[in-house]
Amino acid sequence: MPKKIKDLKRLLQKAGFVLLPKRGKGSHSYWIHELLPKPVVLSGKDGGDAKPYQEKRVAEALETIDQLHREDDK
């Protein structure tokens, strides 16, 4: 069962991502993190099901952040 868009947003927020202000029309949200050069872009309404590529993109971003934090701890 796919996650909801709001669940992906919650995961990003917990990891320290910040939501950029609205950028025009539509349901796209742009999430930035100080350690990543590019934002994570999510489309869809909060109650909608996330697409597999969206879940993968968020998981990859969270893993990258986790790796960077582990390198800093060494």
Side-chain angles (χ1 to χ4, degrees):
M1 185 167 175
K3 292 182 180 180
K4 299 291 183 186
I5 296 293
K6 65 182 172 188
D7 296 330
L8 296 181
K9 290 179 179 181
R10 192 174 300 123
L11 288 172
L12 290 171
Q13 192 171 19
K14 275 185 167 182
F17 283 79
V18 178
L19 176 64
L20 287 177
K22 282 283 189 187
R23 297 176 146 197
K25 293 183 180 181
S27 61
H28 288 74
S29 59
Y30 295 78
W31 294 84
I32 59 169
H33 194 283
E34 61 185 12
L35 299 177
L36 295 180
K38 294 184 179 181
V40 175
V41 181
L42 293 176
S43 63
K45 296 186 179 185
D46 285 350
D49 290 340
K51 305 278 190 236
Y53 74 88
Q54 291 174 314
E55 290 186 44
K56 182 179 176 183
R57 191 173 294 151
V58 169
E60 288 171 350
L62 295 176
E63 178 62 28
T64 301
I65 295 299
D66 189 45
Q67 287 177 355
L68 291 171
H69 283 304
R70 279 187 270 150
E71 288 175 6
D72 286 344
D73 290 342
K74 289 182 179 180

